Amino acid sequence: MTANTKLSFPEIMALGGMTLALFLGAGNIIFPPLVGLQAGTNSFNAGFGFIITAVLFPALAILSLAINKGNINELTRPLGKWASFVFIGICFLTLGMLFGTPRTATISYEVITNGTADIWWKKLIFSVVFFGLAGAILSRPGKLLEVVGFILSPVKISVLIFIGICAWFHPIGEITTATTIYEKQAFKAGFVNGYQTLDVISALCFGAIISHTLKQRSVTQTKDIFRYSASSAFIAATGLTLIYICYISMGAHTPETGATNGMQIMSAYVEIVFGTYGRELLAAIITLACLVTAIGLTSGTAQFFSQNTGIPYSVFVAISLISSAAIAILGLNSLTTLAIPVLNAIYPAVLMVVVLGIIRRWINIPDNLYGLCFYSALGVGILSLFVIR
């Protein structure tokens, strides 16, 4: 039996950095500035709601998964095998090859071209290269902590935090006026827009990666897996909160009042403050951030489907990368529009699964009560499609 290993402080920080880096990808970068732009004078209330769904619940999701031995199937076991597989499968397809993973390439492409090259075959070539690089890194899964935690994470996190702090201390415009929805229901609008980051579903994916990474480094005791998972969740949550506050402020003070996505707001800020070279640096960092997230999403999704179907992990990695490259040519705005109804439908149920997974650690919840809570939340999400306009 392999002896249980204790992680050093640098290794714990690297694990937290890897977790933050996995989260800090497409949605985390583009949506906070847009929330700031649309909320304007009501940015505090909107930001509070946004942080609950984009920071608090993802951190709780990591803890919920760690409590349940890093096994996402254990979270939904009371639903029954097939209902559990279908629901988690839908979540992972949404997170992976249908929306989340393709979005990493579309954002990278748009920031590199500055939105001036909306040509499908150029986007396809870029996507193939982008996901080919992700596949090359994924071909060495045992090196994920070293590559992502020790090398890629510090670079992109440092630059993105630096830009965010600059935006906080050096705004470039007057505070914007809140749009109708943010004027009337700022907290609710921010809360729902937090869905777009996909962070709670991502946490279920990344939480499994954290547990797997710890086991690869001979951390075998359940209490240590939970402790280190909690540490990584705290580090990631702290970093995300700081970044979101700064980037919401960036959007609330942007002169780009006609922007339709957060990338336009970020590009404008960096180019005004740091010049053309600054925008080129931003393009490189955004691409790096999205690449890391694509790696995490592809790995987590492939692990889930491989474990539940018996088909080799490498096959699902290939399917995910090829599908993502093809879907990415739709572009950022189209992917965002298509994702909204799906996320509104499933997110309340995902939040319920996270909460129930934590409660079950101390209180025995009968399967029928678990099912009632889950399907009630799912029903609320589906009904919201017909109520929210």
Side-chain angles (χ1 to χ4, degrees):
M1 181 175 178
T2 304
N4 186 64
T5 299
K6 302 294 184 181
L7 297 186
S8 64
F9 179 74
E11 288 176 321
I12 294 174
M13 293 302 296
L15 185 66
M18 183 188 80
T19 306
L20 175 57
L22 289 171
F23 277 119
L24 197 56
N28 311 80
I29 294 169
I30 64 172
F31 288 108
L34 189 61
V35 168
L37 166 64
Q38 296 175 345
T41 51
N42 288 335
S43 291
F44 179 83
N45 290 335
F48 186 51
F50 185 87
I51 286 173
I52 289 177
T53 45
V55 177
L56 176 60
F57 271 103
L60 292 176
I62 291 177
L63 297 182
S64 183
L65 201 62
I67 288 171
N68 290 273
K69 303 176 183 178
N71 186 355
I72 192 169
N73 293 310
E74 184 64 22
L75 282 176
T76 53
R77 178 186 51 77
L79 297 176
K81 180 179 179 180
W82 286 107
S84 173
F85 176 76
V86 169
F87 177 71
I88 299 175
I90 291 173
C91 290
F92 270 42
L93 287 173
T94 302
L95 176 67
M97 65 183 74
L98 295 183
F99 300 116
T101 309
R103 195 169 67 181
T104 61
T106 62
I107 290 177
S108 301
Y109 179 80
E110 293 198 15
V111 71
I112 289 174
T113 62
N114 203 22
T116 60
D118 190 19
I119 302 172
W120 74 267
W121 62 267
K122 288 186 177 181
K123 290 191 286 188
L124 180 60
I125 292 174
F126 177 85
S127 296
V128 169
V129 174
F130 180 88
F131 289 115
L133 181 56
I137 297 174
L138 281 165
S139 66
R140 304 186 68 186
K143 296 293 183 180
L144 192 61
L145 180 59
E146 284 80 359
V147 174
V148 176
F150 287 104
I151 300 173
L152 300 183
S153 302
V155 175
K156 78 167 190 176
I157 291 171
S158 298
V159 173
L160 289 173
I161 288 179
F162 173 74
I163 293 173
I165 291 174
C166 289
W168 177 263
F169 287 104
H170 183 59
I172 59 175
E174 298 296 325
I175 193 164
T176 59
T177 302
T179 58
T180 302
I181 184 65
Y182 280 98
E183 185 177 7
K184 296 180 178 179
Q185 298 177 314
F187 175 83
K188 179 181 177 182
F191 187 94
V192 173
N193 268 285
Y195 296 174
Q196 286 289 336
T197 65
L198 295 172
D199 278 352
V200 178
I201 305 176
S202 298
L204 298 177
C205 171
F206 298 154
I209 293 176
I210 293 169
S211 297
H212 182 68
T213 300
L214 288 170
K215 291 173 183 177
Q216 283 186 323
R217 302 185 78 84
S218 300
V219 178
T220 57
Q221 293 185 7
T222 302
K223 65 177 183 179
D224 286 331
I225 291 176
F226 175 79
R227 179 160 61 95
Y228 293 135
S229 296
S231 297
S232 66
F234 177 78
I235 293 169
T238 301
L240 286 174
T241 300
L242 173 62
I243 290 170
Y244 288 158
I245 290 173
C246 292
Y247 280 73
I248 288 173
S249 176
M250 176 192 291
H253 293 86
T254 184
E256 293 288 314
T257 54
T260 57
N261 62 65
M263 191 52 58
Q264 296 169 347
I265 298 170
M266 285 187 64
S267 295
Y269 180 86
V270 171
E271 190 159 1
I272 290 172
V273 176
F274 301 105
T276 303
Y277 292 113
R279 203 196 70 79
E280 292 174 353
L281 175 62
L282 175 67
I285 294 300
I286 294 299
T287 302
L288 176 62
C290 290
L291 178 64
V292 173
T293 299
I295 291 168
L297 295 180
T298 302
S299 176
T301 302
Q303 283 181 15
F304 168 76
F305 284 107
S306 177
Q307 290 170 359
N308 287 275
T309 64
I311 298 174
Y313 167 83
S314 58
V315 172
F316 281 109
V317 167
I319 291 173
S320 179
L321 293 175
I322 293 171
S323 300
S324 297
I327 294 173
I329 66 174
L330 293 175
L332 178 58
N333 290 337
S334 294
L335 285 173
T336 300
T337 300
L338 291 171
I340 288 174
V342 178
L343 293 175
N344 284 342
I346 66 174
Y347 236 79
V350 175
L351 299 181
M352 182 61 70
V353 165
V354 169
V355 173
L356 292 174
I358 294 175
I359 293 175
R360 285 169 59 209
R361 173 66 175 80
W362 294 278
I363 301 175
N364 181 36
I365 302 176
D367 289 357
N368 56 355
L369 178 58
Y370 184 104
L372 176 63
C373 294
F374 172 83
Y375 287 113
S376 295
L378 183 61
V380 169
I382 294 173
L383 287 174
S384 73
L385 300 181
F386 304 96
V387 176
I388 297 175
R389 293 289 185 267

